[in-house]
Structures are given as C-alpha cells and as structure tokens.
Amino acid sequence: MYLSELFQKKKCLFSCEIFPPKKNSEIETVYRTISGLQQLHPDFISVTCGAGGSAVEDNLTVRIASHVKEKYGIEPLAHLTCVNTSRNNLEETIVFLKKNRIENVLALRGDRVDGNTATDFAYAAELISLIKRKGNFYIAAACYPEGHPESSNRTEEIRHLKEKVEAGASHLISQLFFNNENFYAFINEVHTAGVHVPIEAGIMPAVDKRLIEKIVSLCSATLPPKLSRILSRFEKHPSMLFEAGIDYATEQIIDLISSGVQGIHLYTMNNPVVAEKIIHNIGGLLMEVNGRRP
Ligand code: FAD
C-alpha cells in the first residue's frame, strides 16, 4: 500500500523509525523490536540505511522492511541514501526493493564519507528522479525545521526542498526537534514557498543524555533550556530521566496534534518501550483526531 492512502484516511499518522542491527548483532534483535512495535499499531515503520553505500547494508534495510511487511503486516518505508555509492548499486537496490514488494522509499542523500564529493549523485533530488523513473514507488524525503547543518541560507534550503517535491517526493519527514515553535515557523516558510505535501514531525524522546547530546551536535537541533535542565537534573537517575524524557515528548506531541500536524514520526532508537509509553500517553488523542473512539 502506498503511504498516500494512509494520509487520505487519517488526519494524523503515527509512524516509527527503526535501524538495522549494528555489526556483531544478530538480525533477530531488530525483529524483537518490530514485534514490540506491532502491538502499538503504527501506521508504518521506516527502516534506516547506512550512508556507506554498500549493497550489503542496503539489502539489509530492504530485508528488514520486507519482514515488517510480510511477517507483521505493517507498511514499511525503506530508507535509501545516494552518496558514497554508484548508480549501478542504486539501480540494483531499486530492483531488489521491487522484488521484495516494497512500495515506499525515503530518498536521502546521506552524509558524505570524509567529505567525498566524487559520487554519481550529489543531492537527494537526483535520487528521487531516478526512483521515479525506475518504478511505481511512493517517495518521501527529509526536511530540517532548524536547518540542515551544511546549509547557511534558509531561502536556498527551502528552494532545494521544493526541488525534492517537484522531483516526486509526496511527503516529508522532519529531523528531530525539541522546540515546536521552530517547527511551526518552518511549516509557515514551506507553505509560503508553495510546498503543501504532508509533513511529519520527527520526535525523539530525550531518555538518554549522552545520546541526545551527541545527536544534537550532529544534526544542529537546539536544546531548549527546559529540556537542558531536565537532562542535567536527572543525568545520574536513568529511570527518572526516562520518565521525564517521555513526559517532555508527550507534551510536544499533544501540542503538535492540537496544531493539526499530519503525522508524528517517532525515532524509537529500537526501544519498543519508548514507543509503548508514548502511545500509552497519546493513543487516545490520536484516535480522537482520526475519528475513532478511544
Ligand atoms: P539533500 O536534500 O540532498 O540536502 C543536503 C544539503 O544539500 C542541504 O543543505 C540542502 O539544502 C543542500 N542542497 C540540496 N540540493 C542542492 C543543490 N542543488 N545545490 C546546492 N545545495 C543543495 N542518513 C542516513 O545515512 N541513513 C538514513 O537512513 C537516514 N535517515 C534519515 C531520516 C530522516 C527523517 C532525516 C531527517 C535524515 C536522515 N538521514 C539519514 C540523514 C541525512 O542523510 C543527512 O541529513 C544528509 O546530510 C542530507 O540528506 P538529505 O536527503 O536531506 O539531502
């Protein structure tokens, strides 16, 4: 099923992101995560891919996405990156996606390895055009409410975002953020630029201080003082930080849903308990906005 069907049926989707197991970990570890998420009935599950451009990694993403679909009956969204790899490898992966009946792809550039610019594809929009030419896929793309780290010019960045939509992206998933006001300002800018595809808000519950600080330093999301205080106060009390991080994310999501966001994309960190707690808190509200009784 194309994800467009879900957006037609529901006012606000709930989706989860998982990643393939790290080297040395068994693939079964991620299958256990998916099994935990299945009980929460996400609208779709997205599966990340490495930015190394290796066929082995891409195929692992496709295999896991296929498992999400065939074993658990949940629609998968397979991530695909285009830097650090060749056109041939990407074309083979697209064939493999089709063979595995994967219909939805999140087309990404990926981060350049060691600044390598000598690849067949420089930007995600080029990958979107390739996927469009090679088959009937539903294509999503990434967006950055607080700006992409490489971008110094907001107007240019929004123009490049529009190019991705014009190339064939039907929906955008945002980078994680902790300040909803920044997301709302971004949505306004995107609408003003004439981009009107659904935008899902990327939410990562801040349940692990070191992880959050590392991610924030990489993706240039800002930490609001309120969240910084929570992270410092409960740094040495993991269970309290867990509860406080879930509460903060819950508040963010309630505000986003109240403001009419079209989807919540939860960065689960492969921890189904995080997703379970969030759904426990907001599941009723989601049902309400989607016209079903909690
Ligand atoms: P692009 O859209 O190509 O943009 C990259 C930069 O180039 C931006 O600054 C943009 O403004 C600029 N730009 C675009 N077009 C042009 C142009 N024509 N001329 C000049 N500048 C231009 N990474 C992974 O490795 N694996 C994953 O699974 C993964 N999943 C992600 C999921 C989400 C929801 C998000 C938000 C990010 C994800 N990433 C993933 C990270 C992503 O690959 C990086 O942020 C990467 O640096 C940019 O990818 P992009 O697709 O947004 O690139």
Side-chain angles (χ1 to χ4, degrees):
M1 187 209 321
Y2 292 135
L3 299 187
S4 47
E5 285 186 39
L6 293 172
F7 283 110
Q8 276 158 18
K9 281 190 202 143
K10 289 187 170 183
K11 288 207 168 105
C12 182
L13 302 193
F14 174 73
S15 56
C16 294
E17 180 184 288
I18 59 171
F19 50 80
K22 306 279 176 221
K23 286 185 188 118
N24 307 329
S25 297
E26 299 293 327
I27 196 161
E28 278 69 27
T29 57
V30 75
Y31 290 167
R32 280 196 288 278
T33 302
I34 301 165
S35 167
L37 294 177
Q38 183 202 25
Q39 292 154 37
L40 310 176
H41 308 293
D43 289 299
F44 68 88
I45 292 182
S46 85
V47 187
T48 70
C49 66
S54 101
V56 177
E57 282 179 7
D58 288 351
N59 286 355
L60 186 58
T61 297
V62 180
R63 275 169 54 208
I64 294 169
S66 172
H67 195 79
V68 166
K69 184 176 179 112
E70 305 300 341
K71 171 129 195 235
Y72 294 100
I74 303 170
E75 210 44 56
L77 172 70
H79 296 208
L80 182 61
T81 55
C82 64
V83 280
N84 317 314
T85 192
S86 65
R87 176 180 292 274
N88 274 352
N89 183 30
L90 284 168
E91 289 182 354
E92 277 172 27
T93 305
I94 292 169
V95 170
F96 195 57
L97 281 161
K98 278 192 205 166
K99 264 195 193 148
N100 281 275
R101 306 196 311 122
I102 306 297
E103 296 170 288
N104 306 293
V105 179
L106 178 61
L108 299 145
R109 190 196 69 181
D111 288 322
R112 294 187 176 119
V113 172
D114 297 332
N116 173 23
T117 50
T119 66
D120 288 345
F121 295 81
Y123 299 109
E126 297 162 31
L127 174 63
I128 293 169
S129 300
L130 175 77
I131 299 171
K132 200 86 197 154
R133 280 202 307 279
K134 292 287 170 186
N136 294 323
F137 290 99
Y138 172 94
I139 306 169
C143 65
Y144 303 83
E146 297 180 83
H148 182 266
E150 280 169 34
S151 170
S152 53
N153 182 325
R154 183 76 159 187
T155 314
E156 284 288 292
E157 186 172 350
I158 303 274
R159 191 165 63 78
H160 295 314
L161 184 63
K162 193 172 183 186
E163 283 163 7
K164 294 202 276 193
V165 173
E166 286 167 351
S170 303
H171 133 221
L172 301 169
I173 303 183
S174 93
Q175 182 58 281
L176 60 92
F177 59 90
F178 301 104
N179 182 341
N180 289 359
E181 298 311 318
N182 293 343
F183 181 75
Y184 300 141
F186 169 74
I187 297 276
N188 280 338
E189 284 175 83
V190 169
H191 286 170
T192 305
V195 174
H196 295 286
V197 295
I199 302 181
E200 282 194 277
I203 298 293
M204 179 180 279
V207 296
D208 177 333
K209 183 170 185 273
R210 269 184 35 205
L211 178 71
I212 291 297
E213 285 176 346
K214 184 174 165 213
I215 290 175
V216 161
S217 71
L218 293 173
C219 78
S220 66
T222 49
L223 270 184
K226 180 177 167 183
L227 185 56
S228 288
R229 284 194 294 275
I230 291 173
L231 291 172
S232 302
R233 174 68 182 82
F234 299 119
E235 177 174 18
K236 299 215 164 60
H237 306 278
S239 61
M240 288 184 202
L241 179 56
F242 189 90
E243 291 304 324
I246 294 289
D247 282 355
Y248 188 94
T250 300
E251 265 187 45
Q252 253 194 296
I253 296 172
I254 291 172
D255 180 55
L256 286 161
I257 295 176
S258 311
S259 304
V261 75
Q262 286 155 295
I264 301 292
H265 187 67
L266 193 72
Y267 293 101
T268 69
M269 299 159 281
N270 281 11
N271 183 349
V273 181
V274 166
E276 203 179 288
K277 292 270 182 192
I278 292 290
I279 277 293
H280 173 82
N281 292 348
I282 59 129
L285 182 59
L286 270 176
M287 286 181 129
E288 186 73 39
V289 292
N290 287 318
R292 295 170 199 193
R293 292 177 74 81

